[in-house]
Amino acid sequence: MDDLQQIADNLIKGRATEVKELIQATLDAGISPKDILNKGLIPGMDVVGDKFGKKEIWLAEVLLSARAMQAAMSLLGPILAASGVKPIAKVALGTVEGDIHEIGKNLVGAMLRGGGFEVIDLGIDVAPEKFVDVVKQGVSIIGMSSLVSTSMASMKTTIEALEKAGLRKQVKVMVGGAIVTQTYADKIGADGYAPNAASAVNKAKELLGLSSLS
Amino acid sequence: MLGLRISRYNKNGICERQNLALSFPLTKLYNHNYRDLLFGHGMTSYSVAFEPSGKQNYIEVGKTVFEAAQSMGVELKTLCGGRQICGKCKVKFEEGFFPKFGIYSKREHLSPPREGELRYLGQAAIADGYRLSCAATILGDLVIFVPEESRAIKEVLAKTATAKPVLLKPAIRNCYVELPPPSLGDTRSDWERLSEELARNFNLIALDIDYYAMRSLSNALRSGDWKVTVTTWTEHHVIKVKPGLVERSFGLAIDIGTTTLAAYLCDLSTGQIIATRSVLNPQVSYGEDIISRITYVTDSLDGLNQLNNIIMETLNSMVFNLASEAGITAEDIDEATVVGNTAMHHIFLKLDPQYLGRSPFTSTIRHSLDIKARDIGFKINPVANVHVMPIEASFVGADNVAAIISEEPYNQDEMVLIIDIGTNGELVLGNRQRLISASCATGPAFEGANINFGMRASSGAIEKIAINPKTYDVRFKVIGDVYWSHRMPRLKACGICGSGIIDAVAEMLHAKIIKPSGTFNKNIPSPRLLCDREEPEFVIAWPYETTLDQEITISQGDVRAVQLAKGALLAGAKILMKRMNIERLDKVILAGAFGLHIDKEKAMAIGLFPNLKLSQVYSVGNAAGEGARLALLNVDKRSEAAEIARRVEYVELSTDPSFTEEFVKAMTFPTPKNN
């Protein structure tokens, strides 16, 4: 258990290399990948999200933790999949068409992974058709990010594309980004809006009817 | 406390900072209505904003515009103190929707004009929206523009060109000729007579004459008794024929910044700048940064025409004033060069800027343009050529090309980094071997936006700050006053401008009020540290030192905004250095008005640019404007610009794989040196 606590602590401090080494060591010691995720990484990211929400840490520190989480999952993800551990749900994330800012989206991705979700990262400048395709492959939620007003309208276009493809009802749509507001989310018919990466996890759980933390 | 909250919400603060506002100027599109929340029921107040100061607050119904201005620290000229008897406090209300303020400003939102206003302003001015601020009372939401003549203290907009020596080789040439008068034996047309003489005396062959110039040709020849001065452009185009000998000719260099317009009137025969003017870009009413301007154009019915019209109107009035100052007329100006960032460039040319704002960020054109002044409604000599300089990429515009031809890194062996800090930051790195450029989304934090008590550099703004690291005592100096705060200053502070913000952060870092991570140290034993607020704040000016009846502070959020902006800039510089495969710089050039004002040492202390010796850092002022002037005076500079625009390699920073990592590192402040 001590090892798992150490993983969480290093994750909180944003030490990617140490987190990766510790995970390898605990795996070698025979601890199940499921426990590493559920008792090490998830509680660690939970603390990060909580502190970020309370403004005890800020963006630069959260980005480091997010990077460590990404490194952890690059190692653990395939092992989890191979051992048949199911994520709580699949989420596809992308920065909408016309926009190339990815930091916010990546942060949400790390938080969601830390919340036990499987995250498919569609990248930046993602065309509505790409979102439609990923929904066809079966994801529970799509998350769209936009940082600038010149491309924010692509969120609306994407929702319309989902409707046209007859897929709107089978997926929940979440939106966020510096300029996006709850009002805008309501206006374009999104299911959920989160003002920051930390609250995105709870919002995702809420949309799926899963018991949300807190 | 109520007042404090309001001003925060109104200054692009809290709601945005909660978000993951990253590498782009923050735009405020959807304004929440906080009025009910703040004022409850039974008391009606309206949102009133003043330009060019950008100040906004809620004002009770029935107050005069003058009272509103006073309460918000907007200083209006007055001789009578608001009694409607001097006519000095003239203002203009703006009509339409202003997304930046979330205000729908209408004529009906002011009380009807009174008799006294008619006397001082006249019917026509009132129809144009002018009012006496002490007579007009507030009946609804309003955006009010304070014209230059009504401002108690003038703006400090240092877009002055630090004039460099330049080889004179203008496109404009004056040729004086004396022609044999026609007779029945010599019935050549006036143009044939003139062009043959010009070919013979000046070797000007294959000349043509502009249609407008042609229309005055015959009378000019005769009234000058066949002695005329012919003005040619690039030696193949006659643009003016004037009777007699005319020696001087004039040109104009223009820099259209997102926030500031600068124009330099030059004597083309001597190369001297004879008059300079800089004013606030009137488009700021439609948004602080280029993204919000582009959004305005895209989302409103006639947005492009509107933004183009107000810029042309302002330029025309600047030209009129410059010409009067120099004792000439606007029609005496025979050529103009224009630079600006790509969005300003497109709006100036009435080209749709919307595709600049979306990936893959394409512009309509990149090459330079030569167009007639009359075609764009520019009121100089209608035949005059307007040379619009080339652009590099969607976010690196003609202003950057101009800065490069002014600083000429391509003629140097030293590795130079040019940092042009305006509303957006542009970087150029290189030497004679290679040049690369990038655009950094610093956002307008350095111009005071996104900072609780931030304001532009105008009178009353705190521009310099010193903090005693032992007592945490603060001294500051405001623009418009020569005395520091501890020596009986004449002016009270109403906000902090960009250079003051850099000073504040550097001094707070030095005094260990903030840690290198940017986090406040809550254990500082000083009454200036306020920990009972929503977030920690440090008091720069006490209420009695301000016009606001409250403290002016730097908050945790303000420090974060600076970290985001400087992080974007420094990360950009680091990535460019990596691309160039260099470890260190030989020289840093700070361009832009902001660069001229900031304290280089303080800028280095907060890590605004890569570390190097202070003696290797230079502030050059408005390099873009200077580049426009050089191109005006020497046509070879235009060819240089054309070559540079093609040659500079543009680096897209946000898609660089190491951007996040560099950005995280760059947001941290350097560890302060022990004293």
Side-chain angles (χ1 to χ4, degrees), chain B residues 52-66:
Chain B
S53 64
K55 291 183 181 166
Q56 184 179 16
N57 212 333
Y58 287 100
I59 301 293
E60 272 175 54
V61 65
K63 292 252 190 226
T64 66
V65 174
F66 187 78

Side-chain angles (χ1 to χ4, degrees), chain B residues 182 188-190 193 216-228 243:
Chain B
R188 285 176 299 165
S189 71
D190 290 344
R193 186 176 308 278
S216 59
L217 173 65
S218 296
N219 288 331
L221 288 173
R222 284 163 184 86
S223 70
D225 197 19
W226 303 95
K227 300 177 183 69
V228 291

